[in-house]
Amino acid sequence: MHAVSPRLRADSRRGILESVWWGLIVLMVVSGCGDDDDGPAAPGTDDFQVIIDQFGLTPLPTIPYPANNTFNAERIALGQLLFFDPILGGESAAQVKADAGLDPFRYRANDMACATCHFPTLAFADGRRLGAGVAGAQFSDTDLGPQRVVPGPSIITGLDVGTEPRNTPTILNAALNGRNSAEPTAESFQFMDGRVTKGLEEQATKPITSRDEMAGDAYGRDILGDALTPEVIQDSVTNRIRSIPEYVDRFKQAFAGEVSIADDIKLDHIGRAIAAFERELVTPGSRYDQFVDGDRDALGEVEKSGFELFFGKALCGDCHFGPMLSDFSFRVQGVAEDYESIIPGFGGKSGDGKDFGRFHADESEFADEKYAFRVLTIRNTELTAPYFHSGSAGTLREAVEFYDRGGQGNQDVPDSELEAAGVTRDSSIRPLGLTGDEIDAIVAFMKTTTAPVQMGPLGVDLTAVPQRVPSGLIPPGIPTPSGPGPFLITTEGRD
Ligand code: HEC
Ligand code: HEC
């Protein structure tokens, strides 16, 4: 994919476009003149094709696989189980609960799985403004994204835990993320500040170590303090997996030649299995994909005008272009944060109500990129409200309204604050003067990118919640059996 100059924008010519087009055809036929400068382009192209070419728009591309994690049906199935298994969550610590005088098996709401925040029927996001982690909805059976109440007290220390400073993005098509380029790569950026640069494998082992996401105050955090390194947590989770015979069998099959006994299972294998599952969560075949592939009837008139506005007057295509409708760069737009209104007293990423985006990825390296966030994909956004890193736009319409006002709303980060942080708002974020109909058309266009997840290997439905997982814990989305536990047969080997 060639880099597309953001300045190369097609004019928005809604309404007159078709009449001009037909007029020119008639003119050509009548005059017999085919090479007029203003005439139609080569056969098979039209004004839409000009935009498609300029902005590098393509149907959903094929999945790039890293050399050490190529397509493997057993690995994908194993990854699906791990993704839904609360055994990866810290405060699933049965013994710690028992020591605290609590039923070790009862409160499965403590037990976080990846899927608790990235749930299939919520488009692998959670439907919340900010993610809700391990202590959310403690002692409750309604443990899915929107119902979780955070922060909640850690079952171990009693300290509040469980509010994520960021909106949970979908992982649909995350396999196709780029890195400083619109081109998909297996070594992609993950996270809105790009702090993961080596794709899904690297990302998959991080949430288990995060206090707010999955770890909570387990692993002796209160005793170890700073000595509780990510490695201590990762070793603990790896040991739990090794202690479950069904997992050992599945790892042996999925990593034949690498794993032959329990001790061969390493963190790396867990990450690769989860990534193998996530990588298949792609959504080809949307009406948008059909449209850019040449089927001009795939979009209705309003959607087509939204397409032209998106890549024209509304400037969206300056940042949202290429196969994923993102150039995977970091831009300063200054969307509203206002964490206080979500959870009183919650200070967000910085602790004092700000999220410096890229700067927070590595404060020494990106000191001059405060407030810069990764351009997010537009694909499937119909299903992933609310929007932006702070979840401040509740609907797609509100997201477009942010752009229409050029980031100059009461709640948006003001220019003065950006200046104080040494940055300026991206020049494409400026008042657009869109009409209500134009905003609606852009929203209608974005919705044409929605498509279901492709079928997994051997016809496996990758969006299905496993009825049971090898740990014996209850996966998110499966109703908790009534009455007290145990939901585990044994605590042996589990810390
Ligand atoms: C508490 C909720 C929560 C849990 C649990 C959770 N995530 Fe996430 N996930 C998030 C949030 C919030 C982000 C965005 C973080 C950021 O950008 O800084 C995210 C980002 C991601 C991304 C990056 C997507 C992209 O395009 O940048 C991937 C991939 C992902 N999570 C996979 C996982 C996996 C795998 C697990 C389990 C090991 C998991 N998540 C557990 C909330 C959660
Ligand atoms: C200057 C580059 C730029 C331009 C221009 C731009 N965007 Fe964005 N877009 C971004 C960035 C960066 C983010 C993530 C920002 C954040 O979370 O703070 C984003 C996020 C979004 C999201 C939220 C996605 C999600 O999952 O949360 C939507 C929707 C969106 N943009 C639509 C549009 C539309 C529509 C336009 C044109 C009216 C547009 N964008 C123009 C850079 C841009």
Side-chain angles (χ1 to χ4, degrees):
M1 186 65 45
H2 54 280
V4 179
S5 161
R7 297 291 150 224
L8 283 178
R9 274 196 302 276
D11 293 331
S12 173
R13 278 173 278 169
R14 160 152 166 70
I16 57 167
L17 184 110
E18 273 201 9
S19 47
V20 167
W21 172 237
W22 285 112
L24 286 168
I25 289 179
V26 170
L27 206 78
M28 267 175 68
V29 172
V30 170
S31 68
C33 167
D35 55 6
D36 187 325
D37 269 0
D38 296 329
T45 67
D46 58 13
D47 277 24
F48 293 124
Q49 193 62 44
V50 173
I51 299 175
I52 290 167
D53 292 343
Q54 267 179 0
F55 289 91
L57 310 181
T58 69
L60 200 75
T62 52
I63 301 170
Y65 290 90
N68 73 348
N69 214 9
T70 52
F71 184 91
N72 176 322
E74 272 138 3
R75 217 174 276 180
I76 293 164
L78 169 59
Q80 186 168 14
L81 293 173
L82 290 166
F83 191 84
F84 284 92
D85 197 335
I87 197 76
L88 267 56
E91 299 209 12
S92 62
Q95 192 55 53
V96 185
K97 282 185 217 170
D99 290 349
L102 294 158
D103 181 335
F105 309 113
R106 180 69 188 100
Y107 302 110
R108 63 100 180 214
N110 282 354
D111 301 336
M112 281 308 271
C114 307
T116 311
C117 293
H118 299 284
F119 198 71
T121 55
L122 298 165
F124 288 91
D126 62 5
R128 304 175 55 92
R129 273 197 64 180
L130 301 177
V134 68
Q138 201 161 16
F139 310 123
S140 142
D141 287 346
T142 50
D143 62 343
L144 274 181
Q147 285 93 39
R148 293 175 78 77
V149 179
V150 281
S154 159
I155 204 161
I156 295 154
T157 61
L159 299 172
D160 273 358
V161 62
T163 307
E164 277 287 293
R166 287 190 179 146
N167 176 260
T168 306
T170 181
I171 57 169
L172 293 175
N173 301 319
L176 303 169
N177 282 3
R179 190 175 61 175
N180 286 322
S181 150
E183 193 60 27
T185 168
E187 301 222 318
S188 54
F189 281 141
Q190 303 291 332
F191 293 140
M192 299 176 204
D193 51 21
R195 67 190 185 279
V196 165
T197 58
K198 295 195 178 63
L200 294 171
E201 283 74 9
E202 184 194 351
Q203 193 282 331
T205 57
K206 295 210 180 293
I208 57 175
T209 67
S210 154
R211 178 175 188 262
D212 292 334
E213 278 186 311
M214 301 180 84
D217 285 339
Y219 311 101
R221 186 183 301 276
D222 46 338
I223 303 157
L224 291 176
D226 287 347
L228 178 61
T229 59
E231 290 71 28
V232 171
I233 297 176
Q234 289 164 339
D235 286 351
S236 173
V237 172
T238 306
N239 280 331
R240 276 184 228 164
I241 301 286
R242 288 173 179 159
S243 76
I244 300 172
E246 184 182 340
Y247 270 130
V248 177
D249 284 347
R250 286 181 173 273
F251 271 92
K252 283 200 272 194
Q253 285 164 25
F255 293 93
E258 290 183 54
V259 174
S260 35
I261 54 166
D263 279 357
D264 291 339
I265 300 173
K266 301 284 186 309
L267 180 73
D268 172 68
H269 298 115
I270 297 171
R272 279 154 71 197
I274 294 173
F277 165 66
E278 294 178 295
R279 188 164 276 121
E280 303 305 315
L281 299 174
V282 294
T283 65
S286 72
R287 290 194 293 119
Y288 164 78
D289 292 302
Q290 296 163 28
F291 179 76
V292 299
D293 205 20
D295 177 3
R296 298 293 188 260
D297 296 330
L299 301 196
E301 287 311 311
V302 172
E303 293 159 344
K304 282 182 194 169
S305 80
F307 172 87
E308 290 180 291
L309 287 160
F310 190 95
F311 295 103
K313 176 180 174 182
L315 311 181
C316 318
D318 286 5
C319 305
H320 297 282
F321 61 84
M324 280 285 277
L325 294 166
S326 166
D327 69 353
F328 291 92
S329 66
F330 298 88
R331 308 287 188 120
V332 176
Q333 10 182 68
V335 297
E337 295 185 332
D338 193 20
Y339 302 111
E340 184 70 26
S341 71
I342 315 175
I343 300 165
F346 181 61
K349 190 85 178 166
S350 66
D352 62 356
K354 300 183 197 327
D355 190 336
F356 289 140
R358 186 80 169 134
F359 174 75
H360 279 144
D362 179 342
E363 311 201 349
S364 54
E365 207 180 328
F366 305 114
D368 55 351
E369 292 191 68
K370 281 187 180 166
Y371 288 109
F373 287 85
R374 196 187 87 204
V375 180
L376 297 173
T377 184
I378 297 302
R379 287 180 174 276
N380 297 302
T381 40
E382 178 180 12
L383 309 175
T384 62
Y387 305 103
F388 299 133
H389 69 270
S390 56
S392 62
T395 62
L396 279 178
R397 195 167 215 286
E398 281 175 36
V400 183
E401 284 165 358
F402 162 81
Y403 291 105
D404 186 45
R405 64 176 181 261
Q408 305 299 321
N410 284 342
Q411 301 293 331
D412 302 331
V413 181
D415 287 335
S416 55
E417 206 170 306
L418 296 176
E419 269 161 40
V423 296
T424 43
R425 206 183 304 270
D426 194 285
S427 60
S428 301
I429 308 298
R430 55 173 191 255
L432 301 170
L434 299 172
T435 66
D437 283 352
E438 287 175 330
I439 293 177
D440 288 342
I442 293 169
V443 170
F445 162 64
M446 289 196 280
K447 290 182 177 176
T448 68
T449 65
T450 307
V453 175
Q454 71 172 8
M455 196 58 91
L458 306 173
V460 170
D461 180 0
L462 299 172
T463 69
V465 180
Q467 290 299 305
R468 60 168 296 281
V469 286
S471 68
L473 292 163
I474 314 292
I478 302 292
T480 310
S482 57
F487 305 128
L488 282 173
I489 307 305
T490 167
T491 59
E492 204 186 328
R494 308 217 170 98
D495 51 347

